[in-house]
Amino acid sequence: MIDHVSIGVRDLGRAKAFYDAALEPLGFHCVSQDDSSLGYGGESASFWVIASEAPPSANPSSGLHICLSATNRRSVDAFHAAALARGGRDNGHPGLRSDCGPNRLEACCNAGK
C-alpha cells in the first residue's frame, strides 16, 4: 500500500552515517543521494531522508513512528547495536513485545511469533 516514506533531518551528513550503519543489517542501502536527500532501499529507494529546516521534533509525543521489516532476530539485534553506536537512543533492548512503545524508528521480525 505504501510506496515510500520520508523523514526530514537537519544534518544530512550525520543522518547518512546513522542510517548507513543502522539500515545495513536490514538489507537497506543508500541507493540515491544528492545535496538534499538520501534514498534507502534494496534496488530502489523506499525510505527517504530529506534535508529540512524544521524536521519532526525528537519528542515522543510527536507521534512519529517508523517500523522496518527484518528477516530474522539477528538482524534486529544488529540494527539496534548499529543505531546505538551511531548516536541512537535506547528505548528498550530488542525482544518480543505486545506493542512498539516509544520507539521512533524500530526493526521488527515477525518470524516465529
Coordinates of all heavy atoms in Angstrom, one line a residue:
M1 N 0.8 -1.2 0.0 CA 0.0 0.0 0.0 C 0.9 1.3 0.0 O 0.6 2.2 -0.7 CB -0.9 0.0 1.2 CG -1.8 1.2 1.3 SD -3.1 1.0 2.5 CE -2.4 2.0 3.8
I2 N 1.9 1.3 0.8 CA 2.8 2.5 0.8 C 4.0 2.2 -0.1 O 4.7 1.2 0.0 CB 3.2 2.8 2.2 CG1 2.0 3.1 3.1 CG2 4.3 3.9 2.3 CD1 2.4 3.3 4.6
D3 N 4.2 3.2 -1.0 CA 5.3 3.1 -1.9 C 6.6 3.5 -1.3 O 7.7 2.9 -1.5 CB 5.0 3.9 -3.2 CG 6.2 3.8 -4.2 OD1 6.3 2.7 -4.8 OD2 6.9 4.8 -4.3
H4 N 6.6 4.6 -0.5 CA 7.8 5.2 0.1 C 7.3 6.1 1.3 O 6.2 6.5 1.4 CB 8.7 5.9 -0.8 CG 8.1 7.1 -1.4 ND1 7.3 7.1 -2.5 CD2 8.2 8.4 -1.1 CE1 6.9 8.3 -2.8 NE2 7.4 9.1 -2.0
V5 N 8.3 6.4 2.1 CA 8.1 7.3 3.3 C 9.3 8.1 3.4 O 10.4 7.7 3.0 CB 7.8 6.5 4.6 CG1 9.0 5.7 5.0 CG2 7.4 7.4 5.7
S6 N 9.2 9.4 3.8 CA 10.3 10.2 4.0 C 10.3 10.9 5.4 O 9.2 11.1 6.0 CB 10.4 11.3 2.9 OG 9.3 12.1 2.9
I7 N 11.5 11.3 5.9 CA 11.6 12.0 7.1 C 12.6 13.1 7.0 O 13.6 12.9 6.3 CB 12.0 11.0 8.3 CG1 12.1 11.7 9.6 CG2 13.3 10.3 7.9 CD1 12.3 10.8 10.8
G8 N 12.3 14.2 7.6 CA 13.2 15.4 7.5 C 14.3 15.3 8.6 O 14.0 14.9 9.7
V9 N 15.5 15.8 8.3 CA 16.6 15.9 9.2 C 17.3 17.2 9.0 O 17.3 17.8 7.9 CB 17.6 14.7 9.1 CG1 16.9 13.4 9.4 CG2 18.2 14.7 7.7
R10 N 17.9 17.7 10.1 CA 18.7 19.0 10.0 C 20.1 18.8 9.3 O 20.5 19.6 8.6 CB 18.9 19.6 11.4 CG 17.7 20.2 11.9 CD 18.0 21.1 13.1 NE 16.8 21.3 13.9 CZ 15.9 22.2 13.6 NH1 16.0 22.9 12.5 NH2 14.9 22.4 14.4
D11 N 20.7 17.6 9.7 CA 22.1 17.4 9.3 C 22.1 16.1 8.4 O 22.2 15.0 9.0 CB 23.0 17.3 10.5 CG 24.5 17.1 10.2 OD1 24.8 16.7 9.1 OD2 25.3 17.4 11.1
L12 N 22.2 16.3 7.1 CA 22.1 15.2 6.2 C 23.4 14.3 6.3 O 23.3 13.1 6.2 CB 21.9 15.7 4.8 CG 21.3 14.7 3.8 CD1 19.9 14.2 4.2 CD2 21.2 15.4 2.4
G13 N 24.5 14.9 6.6 CA 25.8 14.1 6.7 C 25.7 13.2 7.9 O 26.1 12.0 7.9
R14 N 25.3 13.7 9.0 CA 25.2 13.0 10.3 C 24.1 11.9 10.1 O 24.3 10.7 10.5 CB 24.8 13.9 11.4 CG 24.7 13.2 12.7 CD 24.6 14.2 13.9 NE 24.3 13.5 15.1 CZ 23.5 13.9 16.1 NH1 22.9 15.0 16.0 NH2 23.3 13.2 17.1
A15 N 23.0 12.2 9.4 CA 21.9 11.2 9.2 C 22.4 10.1 8.3 O 22.1 8.9 8.5 CB 20.7 11.9 8.6
K16 N 23.2 10.4 7.3 CA 23.8 9.4 6.4 C 24.6 8.4 7.2 O 24.5 7.2 7.0 CB 24.6 10.0 5.3 CG 25.1 8.9 4.3 CD 25.6 9.5 3.0 CE 26.0 8.5 2.0 NZ 26.1 7.1 2.2
A17 N 25.5 8.9 8.1 CA 26.3 8.0 8.9 C 25.4 7.1 9.7 O 25.7 5.8 9.8 CB 27.3 8.8 9.7
F18 N 24.4 7.6 10.3 CA 23.5 6.9 11.2 C 22.7 5.8 10.3 O 22.7 4.6 10.6 CB 22.5 7.8 11.9 CG 21.4 7.1 12.7 CD1 21.7 6.6 13.9 CD2 20.2 6.8 12.1 CE1 20.8 5.9 14.7 CE2 19.2 6.1 12.9 CZ 19.5 5.7 14.1
Y19 N 22.0 6.3 9.3 CA 21.2 5.4 8.5 C 22.0 4.3 7.7 O 21.5 3.2 7.6 CB 20.2 6.1 7.6 CG 19.1 6.8 8.4 CD1 19.0 8.1 8.6 CD2 18.1 6.0 9.0 CE1 18.0 8.7 9.3 CE2 17.1 6.6 9.8 CZ 17.1 7.9 9.9 OH 16.1 8.5 10.7
D20 N 23.2 4.7 7.2 CA 24.0 3.7 6.5 C 24.3 2.5 7.5 O 24.2 1.4 7.1 CB 25.3 4.3 6.1 CG 25.3 5.1 4.8 OD1 24.2 5.3 4.2 OD2 26.3 5.7 4.4
A21 N 24.7 2.8 8.7 CA 25.0 1.8 9.7 C 23.8 1.0 10.2 O 23.8 -0.2 10.2 CB 25.8 2.4 10.9
A22 N 22.7 1.8 10.5 CA 21.6 1.1 11.1 C 20.8 0.3 10.1 O 20.2 -0.8 10.5 CB 20.6 2.2 11.8
L23 N 20.7 0.7 8.9 CA 19.8 0.0 7.9 C 20.5 -1.1 7.2 O 19.9 -2.0 6.6 CB 19.3 1.0 6.9 CG 18.4 2.1 7.5 CD1 17.9 3.0 6.4 CD2 17.2 1.5 8.3
E24 N 21.9 -1.1 7.2 CA 22.6 -2.2 6.5 C 22.2 -3.6 7.0 O 22.0 -4.5 6.2 CB 24.1 -1.9 6.7 CG 25.0 -2.8 5.8 CD 25.3 -4.2 6.5 OE1 25.3 -4.2 7.7 OE2 25.4 -5.1 5.7
P25 N 22.1 -3.8 8.3 CA 21.7 -5.2 8.8 C 20.3 -5.6 8.3 O 20.0 -6.8 8.2 CB 21.7 -5.1 10.3 CG 22.5 -3.9 10.6 CD 22.4 -3.0 9.5
L26 N 19.5 -4.6 7.8 CA 18.2 -4.9 7.3 C 18.1 -5.1 5.8 O 17.1 -5.3 5.2 CB 17.2 -3.8 7.8 CG 17.1 -3.6 9.3 CD1 16.1 -2.4 9.5 CD2 16.7 -4.8 10.0
G27 N 19.3 -4.9 5.2 CA 19.4 -5.0 3.7 C 19.1 -3.8 3.0 O 18.9 -3.8 1.8
F28 N 19.0 -2.7 3.7 CA 18.8 -1.4 3.1 C 20.1 -0.7 2.9 O 20.9 -0.6 3.8 CB 17.9 -0.5 3.9 CG 16.4 -0.8 3.9 CD1 15.9 -1.8 4.7 CD2 15.6 0.0 3.1 CE1 14.6 -2.1 4.7 CE2 14.2 -0.3 3.1 CZ 13.7 -1.4 3.9
H29 N 20.3 -0.1 1.7 CA 21.5 0.7 1.4 C 21.1 2.0 0.8 O 20.0 2.2 0.2 CB 22.4 -0.1 0.4 CG 22.7 -1.5 0.9 ND1 23.6 -1.7 1.9 CD2 22.1 -2.7 0.6 CE1 23.7 -3.0 2.1 NE2 22.8 -3.6 1.4
C30 N 22.0 3.0 0.8 CA 21.7 4.3 0.2 C 21.9 4.1 -1.3 O 22.9 3.8 -1.8 CB 22.7 5.3 0.7 SG 22.3 7.0 0.1
V31 N 20.7 4.1 -2.0 CA 20.7 3.9 -3.5 C 20.5 5.2 -4.3 O 20.6 5.2 -5.5 CB 19.6 2.8 -3.8 CG1 19.9 1.5 -3.2 CG2 18.2 3.3 -3.4
S32 N 20.3 6.3 -3.5 CA 20.1 7.6 -4.2 C 20.6 8.6 -3.2 O 20.3 8.6 -2.0 CB 18.7 7.8 -4.6 OG 18.5 9.1 -5.2
Q33 N 21.4 9.6 -3.7 CA 21.9 10.7 -2.9 C 22.1 11.9 -3.7 O 22.7 11.9 -4.8 CB 23.2 10.2 -2.2 CG 23.9 11.2 -1.4 CD 25.1 10.7 -0.7 OE1 25.5 9.6 -0.8 NE2 25.8 11.6 0.0
D34 N 21.7 13.1 -3.2 CA 22.1 14.3 -3.7 C 22.3 15.3 -2.5 O 22.3 14.9 -1.4 CB 21.1 14.8 -4.8 CG 19.7 15.0 -4.3 OD1 19.5 15.4 -3.1 OD2 18.8 14.9 -5.1
D35 N 22.4 16.6 -2.8 CA 22.6 17.6 -1.8 C 21.5 17.7 -0.8 O 21.7 18.3 0.3 CB 22.9 18.9 -2.4 CG 24.3 19.0 -3.1 OD1 25.1 18.1 -2.8 OD2 24.5 19.9 -3.9
S36 N 20.3 17.3 -1.1 CA 19.1 17.5 -0.3 C 18.4 16.2 0.2 O 17.5 16.3 0.9 CB 18.1 18.4 -1.0 OG 17.6 17.8 -2.1
S37 N 18.9 15.0 -0.3 CA 18.2 13.8 0.1 C 19.0 12.6 0.0 O 20.0 12.5 -0.7 CB 16.9 13.6 -0.8 OG 17.3 13.4 -2.1
L38 N 18.6 11.6 0.8 CA 19.2 10.2 0.7 C 18.0 9.3 0.5 O 17.0 9.4 1.2 CB 19.9 9.9 2.1 CG 20.9 10.9 2.6 CD1 21.2 10.6 4.0 CD2 22.1 10.8 1.7
G39 N 18.2 8.3 -0.4 CA 17.2 7.3 -0.6 C 17.7 5.9 -0.3 O 18.7 5.5 -0.8
Y40 N 17.0 5.2 0.6 CA 17.4 3.9 1.1 C 16.4 2.8 0.6 O 15.2 3.0 0.5 CB 17.5 3.8 2.6 CG 18.7 4.6 3.1 CD1 18.5 6.0 3.4 CD2 19.9 4.0 3.3 CE1 19.6 6.7 3.9 CE2 21.0 4.8 3.8 CZ 20.8 6.1 4.1 OH 21.9 6.8 4.5
G41 N 17.0 1.7 0.3 CA 16.2 0.5 -0.2 C 17.1 -0.6 -0.6 O 18.3 -0.6 -0.3
G42 N 16.4 -1.5 -1.3 CA 17.2 -2.6 -1.9 C 17.6 -2.2 -3.3 O 18.7 -1.6 -3.5
E43 N 16.8 -2.4 -4.3 CA 17.1 -2.0 -5.7 C 16.6 -0.6 -5.9 O 17.2 0.1 -6.7 CB 16.4 -2.9 -6.7 CG 17.1 -4.3 -6.6 CD 16.5 -5.2 -7.7 OE1 15.9 -4.7 -8.7 OE2 16.5 -6.5 -7.4
S44 N 15.6 -0.2 -5.2 CA 15.1 1.2 -5.4 C 14.8 1.8 -4.0 O 14.6 1.0 -3.0 CB 13.8 1.3 -6.3 OG 12.8 0.5 -5.7
A45 N 14.7 3.1 -3.9 CA 14.5 3.7 -2.6 C 13.0 3.7 -2.2 O 12.1 4.0 -3.0 CB 15.0 5.2 -2.7
S46 N 12.8 3.3 -0.9 CA 11.5 3.3 -0.3 C 11.5 4.1 1.0 O 10.5 4.5 1.5 CB 11.0 1.9 -0.1 OG 11.9 1.2 0.7
F47 N 12.7 4.4 1.5 CA 12.8 5.2 2.7 C 13.7 6.4 2.4 O 14.9 6.2 2.0 CB 13.4 4.4 3.8 CG 13.6 5.1 5.1 CD1 12.5 5.4 5.9 CD2 14.9 5.5 5.6 CE1 12.7 6.1 7.1 CE2 15.1 6.1 6.8 CZ 13.9 6.5 7.5
W48 N 13.2 7.6 2.5 CA 13.9 8.8 2.1 C 14.2 9.7 3.3 O 13.3 9.8 4.2 CB 13.1 9.6 1.1 CG 13.0 9.0 -0.2 CD1 12.1 8.1 -0.7 CD2 13.9 9.2 -1.3 NE1 12.4 7.7 -2.0 CE2 13.5 8.4 -2.4 CE3 15.1 10.0 -1.5 CZ2 14.2 8.3 -3.6 CZ3 15.7 9.9 -2.7 CH2 15.3 9.1 -3.7
V49 N 15.4 10.2 3.3 CA 15.8 11.1 4.4 C 16.1 12.5 3.7 O 16.9 12.5 2.8 CB 17.1 10.6 5.1 CG1 17.6 11.6 6.1 CG2 16.9 9.2 5.7
I50 N 15.3 13.5 4.1 CA 15.3 14.8 3.4 C 15.9 15.9 4.3 O 15.5 16.0 5.4 CB 13.9 15.1 3.0 CG1 13.2 14.0 2.3 CG2 13.8 16.4 2.2 CD1 13.7 13.6 0.9
A51 N 16.8 16.7 3.7 CA 17.3 17.9 4.5 C 16.1 18.8 4.7 O 15.3 19.1 3.8 CB 18.3 18.6 3.7
S52 N 15.9 19.2 6.0 CA 14.8 20.1 6.4 C 15.2 21.1 7.5 O 16.0 20.8 8.3 CB 13.7 19.2 7.0 OG 12.7 19.9 7.5
E53 N 14.7 22.3 7.4 CA 14.9 23.3 8.4 C 14.1 23.1 9.6 O 14.3 23.6 10.7 CB 14.7 24.7 7.8 CG 15.7 25.1 6.8 CD 15.5 26.5 6.2 OE1 14.8 27.3 6.9 OE2 16.0 26.8 5.2
A54 N 13.0 22.3 9.5 CA 12.1 22.0 10.6 C 11.7 20.6 10.6 O 10.5 20.2 10.4 CB 10.8 22.9 10.4
P55 N 12.6 19.7 10.9 CA 12.3 18.2 11.0 C 11.4 17.9 12.2 O 11.2 18.8 13.1 CB 13.6 17.6 11.2 CG 14.5 18.6 11.8 CD 14.0 19.9 11.3
P56 N 10.7 16.8 12.2 CA 9.9 16.4 13.3 C 10.7 16.5 14.7 O 11.8 16.1 14.7 CB 9.5 15.0 13.1 CG 9.8 14.7 11.6 CD 10.8 15.7 11.2
S57 N 10.0 16.9 15.7 CA 10.6 17.0 17.0 C 11.0 15.6 17.5 O 10.4 14.6 17.2 CB 9.5 17.6 17.9 OG 9.9 17.4 19.3
A58 N 12.1 15.6 18.3 CA 12.5 14.4 19.0 C 11.6 14.0 20.1 O 11.8 13.0 20.8 CB 13.9 14.5 19.5
N59 N 10.5 14.8 20.4 CA 9.6 14.5 21.4 C 8.7 13.3 21.1 O 8.1 13.2 20.0 CB 8.7 15.7 21.6 CG 7.7 15.6 22.7 OD1 7.3 14.5 23.1 ND2 7.3 16.8 23.2
P60 N 8.7 12.2 22.0 CA 7.9 11.0 21.7 C 6.4 11.3 21.4 O 5.7 10.6 20.8 CB 8.1 10.2 22.9 CG 9.3 10.7 23.6 CD 9.4 12.1 23.2
S61 N 5.9 12.5 21.9 CA 4.5 12.8 21.8 C 4.2 13.3 20.3 O 3.1 13.6 20.0 CB 4.0 13.8 22.8 OG 4.7 15.0 22.6
S62 N 5.2 13.4 19.5 CA 5.0 13.9 18.1 C 4.2 12.8 17.3 O 3.6 13.1 16.3 CB 6.4 14.1 17.4 OG 7.0 12.9 17.1
G63 N 4.3 11.6 17.8 CA 3.6 10.5 17.1 C 4.3 9.9 15.9 O 3.9 8.9 15.3
L64 N 5.5 10.4 15.6 CA 6.3 9.8 14.6 C 6.8 8.4 15.0 O 7.4 8.2 16.0 CB 7.5 10.7 14.2 CG 8.5 10.1 13.2 CD1 7.8 10.1 11.8 CD2 9.7 11.0 13.1
H65 N 6.5 7.4 14.1 CA 7.0 6.1 14.4 C 7.1 5.3 13.0 O 6.2 5.3 12.2 CB 6.0 5.3 15.2 CG 6.3 3.9 15.5 ND1 7.2 3.5 16.4 CD2 5.9 2.8 14.8 CE1 7.4 2.2 16.3 NE2 6.6 1.7 15.4
I66 N 8.3 4.8 12.8 CA 8.6 4.0 11.6 C 9.1 2.7 12.0 O 10.1 2.6 12.8 CB 9.6 4.8 10.7 CG1 9.0 6.1 10.3 CG2 10.0 3.9 9.5 CD1 10.0 7.0 9.6
C67 N 8.5 1.6 11.5 CA 8.9 0.3 11.8 C 9.4 -0.4 10.5 O 8.6 -0.4 9.5 CB 7.8 -0.5 12.4 SG 8.3 -2.2 12.9
L68 N 10.6 -0.9 10.5 CA 11.1 -1.5 9.3 C 11.2 -3.1 9.5 O 11.4 -3.5 10.6 CB 12.5 -1.0 9.0 CG 12.6 0.5 8.8 CD1 14.0 1.0 8.9 CD2 12.0 0.9 7.5
S69 N 10.9 -3.8 8.4 CA 10.9 -5.3 8.5 C 12.3 -5.8 8.5 O 13.2 -5.4 7.8 CB 10.2 -5.9 7.3 OG 8.9 -5.5 7.3
A70 N 12.5 -6.8 9.4 CA 13.8 -7.6 9.5 C 13.5 -9.0 9.1 O 12.4 -9.5 9.5 CB 14.3 -7.4 10.9
T71 N 14.4 -9.7 8.5 CA 14.2 -11.1 8.1 C 14.4 -12.1 9.3 O 13.9 -13.1 9.2 CB 15.1 -11.5 6.9 OG1 16.5 -11.2 7.3 CG2 14.8 -10.7 5.7
N72 N 15.2 -11.7 10.3 CA 15.4 -12.5 11.4 C 15.8 -11.7 12.6 O 16.0 -10.5 12.5 CB 16.5 -13.6 11.1 CG 17.8 -13.0 10.7 OD1 18.4 -12.1 11.4 ND2 18.3 -13.3 9.5
R73 N 15.8 -12.3 13.8 CA 16.0 -11.6 15.0 C 17.5 -11.1 15.1 O 17.8 -10.1 15.8 CB 15.6 -12.4 16.2 CG 14.1 -12.6 16.2 CD 13.6 -13.2 17.5 NE 12.2 -13.3 17.4 CZ 11.5 -14.3 17.8 NH1 12.1 -15.3 18.4 NH2 10.2 -14.3 17.7
R74 N 18.4 -11.8 14.5 CA 19.8 -11.4 14.5 C 20.0 -10.0 13.8 O 20.7 -9.2 14.2 CB 20.7 -12.4 13.8 CG 21.2 -13.5 14.7 CD 22.3 -14.3 13.9 NE 21.9 -14.6 12.6 CZ 21.3 -15.7 12.1 NH1 21.1 -16.7 13.0 NH2 21.0 -15.9 10.9
S75 N 19.2 -9.8 12.7 CA 19.3 -8.5 12.0 C 18.7 -7.4 12.9 O 19.1 -6.3 12.8 CB 18.7 -8.6 10.6 OG 17.3 -9.0 10.7
V76 N 17.7 -7.8 13.7 CA 17.1 -6.8 14.6 C 18.2 -6.4 15.6 O 18.4 -5.2 15.9 CB 15.8 -7.3 15.3 CG1 15.4 -6.3 16.4 CG2 14.7 -7.5 14.3
D77 N 18.9 -7.4 16.2 CA 19.9 -7.1 17.1 C 21.0 -6.2 16.5 O 21.5 -5.3 17.1 CB 20.5 -8.4 17.7 CG 19.6 -9.2 18.5 OD1 18.6 -8.6 19.0 OD2 19.8 -10.4 18.7
A78 N 21.4 -6.5 15.3 CA 22.5 -5.8 14.6 C 22.0 -4.4 14.3 O 22.8 -3.4 14.4 CB 22.9 -6.5 13.3
F79 N 20.7 -4.2 13.9 CA 20.2 -2.9 13.7 C 20.2 -2.1 14.9 O 20.7 -0.9 14.9 CB 18.7 -3.0 13.2 CG 17.9 -1.8 13.4 CD1 17.9 -0.8 12.4 CD2 17.1 -1.6 14.5 CE1 17.1 0.3 12.5 CE2 16.3 -0.5 14.6 CZ 16.3 0.5 13.6
H80 N 19.8 -2.6 16.1 CA 19.8 -2.0 17.4 C 21.2 -1.5 17.8 O 21.5 -0.4 18.1 CB 19.2 -2.9 18.4 CG 19.1 -2.3 19.8 ND1 20.0 -2.6 20.8 CD2 18.2 -1.4 20.3 CE1 19.6 -1.9 21.9 NE2 18.6 -1.2 21.6
A81 N 22.2 -2.5 17.7 CA 23.6 -2.2 18.0 C 24.2 -1.1 17.1 O 24.8 -0.1 17.6 CB 24.4 -3.4 17.9
A82 N 23.9 -1.1 15.8 CA 24.4 -0.1 14.9 C 23.8 1.2 15.2 O 24.5 2.3 15.1 CB 24.2 -0.6 13.5
A83 N 22.5 1.3 15.5 CA 21.9 2.5 15.7 C 22.4 3.2 17.0 O 22.7 4.4 17.0 CB 20.3 2.3 15.8
L84 N 22.6 2.4 18.0 CA 23.2 2.9 19.3 C 24.6 3.4 19.1 O 25.0 4.5 19.6 CB 23.2 1.9 20.4 CG 21.8 1.5 20.9 CD1 21.9 0.5 22.0 CD2 21.0 2.7 21.4
A85 N 25.4 2.7 18.3 CA 26.8 3.1 18.0 C 26.9 4.4 17.3 O 27.9 5.1 17.4 CB 27.5 2.0 17.2
R86 N 25.8 4.8 16.5 CA 25.8 6.0 15.7 C 25.0 7.1 16.4 O 24.6 8.0 15.7 CB 25.3 5.7 14.3 CG 26.2 4.9 13.5 CD 27.5 5.7 13.2 NE 28.4 5.0 12.3 CZ 29.4 5.5 11.8 NH1 29.8 6.7 12.1 NH2 30.2 4.8 11.0
G87 N 24.7 7.0 17.7 CA 24.0 8.0 18.4 C 22.5 7.9 18.6 O 21.9 8.7 19.2
G88 N 22.0 6.7 18.3 CA 20.6 6.5 18.5 C 20.3 6.3 20.0 O 21.2 6.0 20.8
R89 N 19.1 6.5 20.4 CA 18.7 6.4 21.9 C 18.1 5.0 22.1 O 17.3 4.5 21.3 CB 17.7 7.5 22.3 CG 18.3 8.8 22.3 CD 17.4 9.8 22.9 NE 17.8 11.1 22.4 CZ 17.0 12.0 21.8 NH1 15.7 11.7 21.6 NH2 17.5 13.2 21.4
D90 N 18.4 4.4 23.2 CA 17.8 3.1 23.5 C 16.5 3.2 24.3 O 16.5 3.7 25.4 CB 18.8 2.3 24.4 CG 18.5 0.9 24.6 OD1 17.4 0.5 24.2 OD2 19.3 0.2 25.3
N91 N 15.4 2.8 23.6 CA 14.1 2.9 24.2 C 13.7 1.4 24.6 O 12.5 1.1 24.7 CB 13.1 3.5 23.2 CG 13.3 5.0 23.1 OD1 13.7 5.6 24.0 ND2 13.0 5.5 21.9
G92 N 14.7 0.6 24.7 CA 14.4 -0.8 25.1 C 15.2 -1.8 24.2 O 15.2 -1.6 23.0
H93 N 15.8 -2.7 24.9 CA 16.6 -3.7 24.1 C 15.7 -4.6 23.2 O 14.5 -4.7 23.5 CB 17.3 -4.6 25.1 CG 18.4 -3.9 25.8 ND1 19.5 -3.4 25.2 CD2 18.5 -3.6 27.2 CE1 20.3 -2.8 26.2 NE2 19.7 -2.9 27.3
P94 N 16.2 -5.1 22.1 CA 15.4 -6.0 21.3 C 14.8 -7.1 22.1 O 15.4 -7.7 23.0 CB 16.4 -6.5 20.2 CG 17.5 -5.5 20.2 CD 17.6 -5.0 21.6
G95 N 13.6 -7.5 21.7 CA 12.9 -8.6 22.3 C 11.4 -8.6 21.9 O 10.9 -7.7 21.3
L96 N 10.8 -9.7 22.3 CA 9.3 -9.8 22.0 C 8.5 -8.8 22.8 O 8.7 -8.6 24.0 CB 8.9 -11.2 22.3 CG 9.6 -12.3 21.5 CD1 9.1 -13.7 21.9 CD2 9.4 -12.1 20.0
R97 N 7.6 -8.2 22.1 CA 6.7 -7.1 22.8 C 5.3 -7.2 22.3 O 5.1 -7.6 21.1 CB 7.3 -5.8 22.5 CG 8.6 -5.5 23.1 CD 9.0 -4.0 22.9 NE 10.2 -3.7 23.6 CZ 11.4 -4.1 23.3 NH1 11.6 -4.9 22.3 NH2 12.4 -3.8 24.0
S98 N 4.4 -6.8 23.1 CA 3.0 -6.7 22.6 C 2.7 -5.4 21.9 O 1.7 -5.2 21.2 CB 2.0 -6.9 23.8 OG 2.3 -5.9 24.8
D99 N 3.5 -4.4 22.2 CA 3.4 -3.1 21.4 C 4.8 -2.5 21.2 O 5.8 -3.0 21.7 CB 2.5 -2.1 22.2 CG 3.1 -1.6 23.5 OD1 4.4 -1.7 23.7 OD2 2.4 -1.2 24.4
C100 N 4.8 -1.4 20.4 CA 6.1 -0.9 20.0 C 6.7 0.2 21.0 O 7.8 0.5 20.8 CB 6.0 -0.3 18.6 SG 4.7 1.0 18.5
G101 N 5.9 0.6 21.9 CA 6.4 1.5 22.9 C 6.8 2.9 22.3 O 6.2 3.3 21.3
P102 N 7.7 3.6 22.9 CA 8.0 5.0 22.5 C 9.0 5.1 21.3 O 9.6 6.1 21.1 CB 8.6 5.6 23.8 CG 9.4 4.4 24.4 CD 8.5 3.2 24.1
N103 N 9.3 4.0 20.6 CA 10.3 4.0 19.6 C 9.9 4.9 18.4 O 8.7 4.8 18.0 CB 10.6 2.6 19.0 CG 11.1 1.7 20.1 OD1 12.0 2.1 20.8 ND2 10.6 0.5 20.3
R104 N 10.8 5.6 17.9 CA 10.5 6.4 16.7 C 11.0 5.7 15.4 O 10.4 5.8 14.4 CB 11.3 7.8 16.8 CG 10.7 8.7 17.8 CD 11.5 9.9 18.1 NE 11.8 10.7 17.0 CZ 11.0 11.7 16.4 NH1 9.8 11.9 17.0 NH2 11.4 12.4 15.4
L105 N 12.0 4.9 15.6 CA 12.5 4.0 14.5 C 12.8 2.7 15.1 O 13.5 2.6 16.1 CB 13.8 4.6 13.9 CG 14.4 3.8 12.7 CD1 13.5 3.8 11.5 CD2 15.7 4.4 12.4
E106 N 12.2 1.6 14.5 CA 12.5 0.3 15.0 C 12.5 -0.7 13.9 O 12.1 -0.4 12.8 CB 11.4 -0.1 16.0 CG 10.1 -0.5 15.4 CD 9.1 -1.0 16.4 OE1 9.4 -1.9 17.2 OE2 7.9 -0.6 16.4
A107 N 13.1 -1.9 14.2 CA 13.1 -3.0 13.3 C 12.3 -4.1 13.9 O 12.4 -4.3 15.1 CB 14.5 -3.5 13.0
C108 N 11.5 -4.8 13.1 CA 10.6 -5.9 13.6 C 10.8 -7.1 12.8 O 10.8 -7.1 11.6 CB 9.2 -5.4 13.6 SG 7.9 -6.6 14.0
C109 N 10.8 -8.3 13.5 CA 10.9 -9.6 12.9 C 9.7 -10.3 13.4 O 9.6 -10.6 14.6 CB 12.2 -10.3 13.2 SG 12.2 -12.0 12.6
N110 N 8.8 -10.7 12.5 CA 7.6 -11.4 12.9 C 7.7 -12.9 12.8 O 6.8 -13.7 13.1 CB 6.4 -11.0 12.1 CG 5.9 -9.6 12.5 OD1 5.8 -9.3 13.7 ND2 5.8 -8.7 11.5
A111 N 8.9 -13.4 12.4 CA 9.1 -14.8 12.2 C 9.1 -15.5 13.6 O 9.7 -15.0 14.6 CB 10.5 -15.1 11.6
G112 N 8.4 -16.6 13.7 CA 8.4 -17.3 15.0 C 7.4 -16.8 16.0 O 7.4 -17.3 17.1
K113 N 6.6 -15.8 15.6 CA 5.6 -15.3 16.6 C 4.4 -16.2 16.6 O 4.0 -16.8 15.7 CB 5.2 -13.9 16.2 CG 6.1 -12.9 16.7 CD 5.5 -11.5 16.6 CE 6.5 -10.5 17.1 NZ 5.9 -9.2 17.1

